Amino acid sequence: MTRRKRGIALAGGGPLGGIWEIGALVALDEALIGFDPADCDVYVGVSSGGFIAAGLANGLSPRAMYRMFIESEAADDPFEPDLLLRPALSEYLQRLAMLPELVLAGTRRYIEAPWSRGFFASFQELARALPTGVFDNVGIRDYLARLLSGPGRSNDFRKLRRRLFIVATDLDSGEVVPFGSPGWDDVPIARAVVASAALPGLFPPVEIRGRHYVDGALVKTLHASVALREGAKLLLCINPLVPFNADLAARTARARRKSLSKGGLPVVLAQTFRALVYSRMRVGMDRYRKEFPGADVVLFQPDQDDADMFFTNIFSYSARRRLSEHAYQKTRADLRRRGPKLAPMLARHGVRIDWKVLKDTSRTLGRTGETAARWRRSALGRTTLQLAGTLDTLAELLRQHRHP
């Protein structure tokens, strides 16, 4: 019997979302017999999900990506978080160069009609001198291009054995572009990924063929329909971003509810963005069931009372490990809870749940045994552990200061 097409769709969520997706994918890889995340027929990635999808489509297992991006000191070419924090200097300089001409034009407009136009209206064009992004994504692009140039991998959509689609948004038209589809498959994968992950305000738009592209999540959250139209009959989706429910979290922890407004602008913006993308995703999931009745779509995501997922500082070295472990364990728990209902559906596609693996509570995502002991004894291991401890102490002091 011919195997029915399988696929994976990964939503965005910045570095936080990518870390969650890696932990969740390792859990699925271990617990599903007959389903290999690195050997599906079609992959769709949006924003940081595109980064992970590109790795899977190139045959990188979830465990391999965990070693590269989380346990990075063990990798030959580790991913360093500071790649995400490099200032967009070229963007700053380009915008700064515009300032004299804009000031001169504004002054001229104000002198010509100071009473009818007004000062602020005359100089409103100065906003064009503001950078379109704070951080530079060139380092991320170069790292991914280097990673995909390794043996058995490719930075070319057309040379992959599996179908890969990286979704971005055309800034000038608002239209969705699935890089990897016919007519768009000549764009290097690494460039498509940074275009899909160019969240406005954080990263500048990415120019491709004279057009500018930004985060693919601006229009849809998952873009799972891209995989379903390619014929995927079993599609596993991971969405790392859900709005935080402070009321539910307080009831779960049996504690007094704390208002998110006390967290300031970053927390309020994070909650607003999550709520927007989550509501769109729910509408999309309902639509997929109607438009593709012959396909089975399974969604994995954090719980809405998951404070660890919502408040984690992903730039803390130890926090990356903790969050990926958290995602791993939460996904295992989700499979245990939903397993009896999912099992018959998965069986239609030749996939079984390994209950022995799921019930083994000693399983962890991180190092175990002698491997961990050797690493801790090494100079790099000692330095890293000391740094992690310092960052954790600082994070705890800040938390106590915010919530005395």
Side-chain angles (χ1 to χ4, degrees):
M1 183 174 115
T2 304
R3 193 187 83 167
R4 304 172 80 191
K5 279 190 176 182
R6 301 170 179 179
I8 290 178
L10 302 175
L16 192 76
I19 291 168
W20 177 275
E21 287 171 341
I22 289 174
L25 284 166
V26 174
L28 294 173
D29 192 17
E30 292 180 350
L32 298 182
I33 299 173
F35 187 93
D36 182 354
D39 191 23
C40 291
D41 301 285
V42 56
Y43 297 91
V44 178
V46 183
S47 191
S48 60
F51 197 104
I52 308 302
L56 292 173
N58 269 276
L60 288 171
S61 70
R63 273 282 177 187
M65 286 191 282
Y66 174 77
R67 289 191 294 270
M68 289 178 180
F69 307 136
I70 311 300
E71 296 279 5
S72 55
E73 76 285 342
D76 294 331
D77 189 5
F79 180 83
E80 300 297 345
D82 65 357
L83 285 176
L84 302 166
L85 298 173
R86 294 180 179 177
L89 295 179
S90 61
E91 173 72 6
Y92 297 167
L93 293 174
Q94 289 177 19
R95 297 290 166 172
L96 189 62
M98 299 167 60
L99 197 55
E101 182 179 345
L102 293 173
V103 170
L104 183 61
T107 302
R108 187 182 300 115
R109 284 192 296 269
Y110 181 70
I111 293 174
E112 289 174 353
W115 307 116
S116 61
R117 184 174 285 119
F119 180 83
F120 290 106
S122 299
F123 287 93
Q124 65 181 355
E125 288 293 305
L126 287 177
R128 292 172 53 195
L130 293 174
T132 56
V134 178
F135 303 117
D136 193 353
N137 47 25
V138 173
I140 304 171
R141 182 200 66 196
D142 292 346
Y143 174 85
L144 185 56
R146 194 164 61 245
L147 176 66
L148 299 183
S149 298
R153 305 170 199 158
S154 178
N155 194 28
D156 189 329
F157 286 102
R158 299 164 296 186
K159 294 181 180 179
L160 296 177
R161 291 196 302 111
R162 310 158 182 90
R163 296 304 306 273
L164 170 66
F165 300 94
I166 305 296
V167 183
T169 303
D170 186 318
L171 181 63
D172 293 314
S173 68
E175 294 180 355
V176 169
V177 174
F179 292 105
S181 60
W184 293 103
D185 52 4
D186 60 325
V187 177
I189 294 172
R191 192 166 188 83
V193 168
V194 295
S196 178
L199 183 63
L202 286 183
F203 296 102
V206 175
E207 184 177 354
I208 298 175
R209 298 181 185 171
R211 308 284 294 187
H212 290 86
Y213 295 89
V214 294
D215 200 316
L218 295 187
V219 178
K220 290 183 182 179
T221 303
L222 268 169
H223 293 277
S225 58
V226 175
L228 295 170
R229 290 192 184 98
E230 279 293 306
K233 297 303 180 184
L234 174 61
L235 184 65
L236 301 191
C237 305
I238 301 179
N239 171 47
L241 294 187
V242 298
F244 181 66
N245 189 323
D247 294 324
L248 181 59
R251 288 197 298 271
T252 303
R254 296 182 179 179
R256 189 178 67 177
R257 181 181 66 85
K258 295 178 181 178
S259 174
L260 293 181
S261 65
K262 293 182 178 179
L265 181 61
V267 171
V268 172
L269 289 177
Q271 178 74 335
T272 302
F273 179 72
R274 286 166 180 256
L276 287 172
V277 299
Y278 185 68
S279 63
R280 288 189 323 205
M281 187 208 64
R282 292 180 64 181
V283 171
M285 294 298 288
D286 291 338
R287 191 175 67 251
Y288 299 149
R289 296 186 185 95
K290 297 175 183 177
E291 291 184 10
F292 305 95
D296 291 310
V297 181
V298 187
L299 175 65
F300 296 91
Q301 61 186 7
D303 297 324
Q304 286 193 256
D305 62 347
D306 194 336
D308 283 343
M309 177 58 179
F310 188 79
F311 292 104
T312 290
N313 171 18
I314 53 87
F315 296 110
S316 163
Y317 185 86
S318 58
R320 289 191 295 161
R321 291 182 175 176
R322 182 175 56 79
L323 181 61
S324 58
E325 179 69 38
H326 181 65
Y328 172 79
Q329 297 296 350
K330 285 291 185 179
T331 305
R332 284 168 51 82
D334 189 17
L335 278 172
R336 286 193 295 267
R337 183 176 66 252
R338 293 197 290 160
K341 183 178 180 180
L342 292 176
M345 179 269 291
L346 292 172
R348 293 198 295 269
H349 302 274
V351 180
R352 293 185 295 114
I353 296 175
D354 192 331
W355 290 104
K356 183 178 179 181
V357 165
L358 283 180
K359 292 176 181 178
D360 182 1
T361 57
S362 67
R363 281 181 174 264
T364 65
L365 183 56
R367 292 184 176 85
T368 57
E370 182 59 25
T371 301
R374 285 199 303 269
W375 181 77
R376 284 194 297 267
R377 289 195 297 266
S378 70
L380 179 58
R382 290 195 303 272
T383 302
T384 301
L385 290 172
Q386 289 171 0
L387 176 59
T390 301
L391 289 171
D392 287 343
T393 300
L394 178 59
E396 178 62 20
L397 288 173
L398 291 173
R399 186 191 68 79
Q400 292 177 4
H401 178 71
R402 289 196 303 267
H403 307 290

